[in-house]
Amino acid sequence: MDLQLKGKVAIITGGADGIGFCAAQLLAAEGAIVVLADIQEERATQASADLNATGAQSIAVGVDVHDEASVKHMVDTVVERFGKVDILVNNAGIGYFKTMDEETMDEWHKVLDINLTGVHLCTREVFKYMKAQNSGRIVSIASLGGQIGGMKVTPGYVASKAGVVGLTKSYARNGAKYGITANAVAPGPTETNMAKGRYSADTTMLGRLAEPMDVAKVILFLSSTLADYLTGVTVDVNGGALMR
Ligand SMILES: NC(=O)c1ccc[n+]([C@@H]2O[C@H](COP(=O)([O-])OP(=O)(O)OC[C@H]3O[C@@H](n4cnc5c(N)ncnc54)[C@H](O)[C@@H]3O)[C@@H](O)[C@H]2O)c1
């Protein structure tokens, strides 16, 4: 089935590693032009080279998603180079594995700055272009933690990810008349650098933790024409850890 992603320009924040890089691989395999936008610029450059060696078309751009000027520069770079942005995957994120007592106010602010304000800065910047072209796809990564209060992560992380669900609905409302859809993915514990070794498989019904590709497949789906009639939705990707 043709997912009609050929030639589509997709920015993936945090695309150098983990879930973001897996999403980049899947989108690129469907013919999308992929932008790996990451604070780890060197790693993104290497990841882009690896992708391009497989015949994909990708570039790396350094960005700090919670810095307004940096986000503007990243989106301008993409539009100057490719003339448009069709898809934004708001994936960049950090997490602190601490109790409420241990979480410092610096950590509270930082996780909200990156995981929540970062999503908004990137979305606001691409919205301008998506509105003008009357189409666009926003896919943001929330978390099971934001839905159940977090098993090991800080309250700040939980608040940031619950916030992403609300933002997604706001973007869906604001974008609808311009052909922009906005959806989120809420993964359970996933085997990336962020969470590796921290959770046991028996927290899921399927008896295993998520691989980053499990999450990336749903990002691909939400970025494609298969999801044309979905907006404002958060898709749970948690192996049955939360059923509702
Ligand atoms: N791994 C899990 O268990 C899990 C579960 C639920 C949700 N998530 C979410 O999935 C997303 C991807 O995480 P992952 O598990 O692949 O982790 P990861 O650490 O492998 O990848 C995160 C990427 O984001 C980048 N990044 C961090 N801060 C940034 C910033 N300020 N600006 C730009 N890039 C930045 C990192 O350099 C890294 O490449 C995150 O939003 C995370 O909160 C992860």
Side-chain angles (χ1 to χ4, degrees), residues 3-194:
L3 302 186
Q4 295 178 39
L5 288 164
K6 201 163 173 21
K8 293 273 158 74
V9 176
I11 297 176
I12 304 176
T13 69
D17 209 343
I19 293 168
F21 185 58
C22 286
Q25 288 173 276
L26 294 184
L27 283 160
E30 293 297 327
I33 299 164
V34 171
V35 179
L36 306 179
D38 205 292
I39 197 163
Q40 298 186 72
E41 197 169 350
E42 259 180 50
R43 196 178 181 110
T45 303
Q46 184 57 54
S48 169
D50 292 346
L51 263 186
N52 293 348
T54 68
Q57 200 181 341
S58 74
I59 62 166
V61 183
V63 69
D64 183 345
V65 294
H66 86 277
D67 178 323
E68 196 171 348
S70 172
V71 169
K72 191 171 173 359
H73 173 263
M74 182 269 288
V75 176
D76 286 350
T77 303
V78 173
V79 174
E80 268 163 36
R81 175 91 184 255
F82 302 113
K84 59 176 184 165
V85 185
D86 298 300
I87 298 159
L88 169 67
V89 181
N90 281 310
N91 164 80
I94 60 164
Y96 295 109
F97 294 83
K98 289 184 167 189
T99 65
M100 181 170 163
D101 289 340
E102 290 164 351
E103 180 185 42
T104 67
M105 284 316 290
D106 276 355
E107 289 163 343
W108 164 270
H109 287 300
K110 193 163 178 197
V111 79
L112 283 162
D113 275 353
I114 294 174
N115 293 8
L116 187 62
T117 307
V119 166
H120 190 56
L121 288 175
C122 293
T123 305
R124 211 178 52 153
E125 206 53 40
V126 302
F127 240 67
K128 292 193 266 197
Y129 298 102
M130 289 180 171
K131 276 166 81 169
Q133 70 202 26
N134 233 13
S135 66
R137 286 295 165 90
I138 312 289
V139 181
S140 303
I141 314 306
S143 173
L144 173 65
Q147 297 165 319
I148 66 167
M151 290 179 274
K152 299 190 173 181
V153 284
T154 55
Y157 183 86
V158 170
S160 72
K161 293 302 188 178
V164 168
V165 173
L167 276 182
T168 296
K169 294 176 187 174
S170 173
Y171 301 148
R173 281 190 189 278
N174 280 283
K177 62 175 176 290
Y178 304 103
I180 302 169
T181 67
N183 295 292
V185 178
T190 305
E191 298 272 42
T192 65
N193 287 340
M194 184 181 283

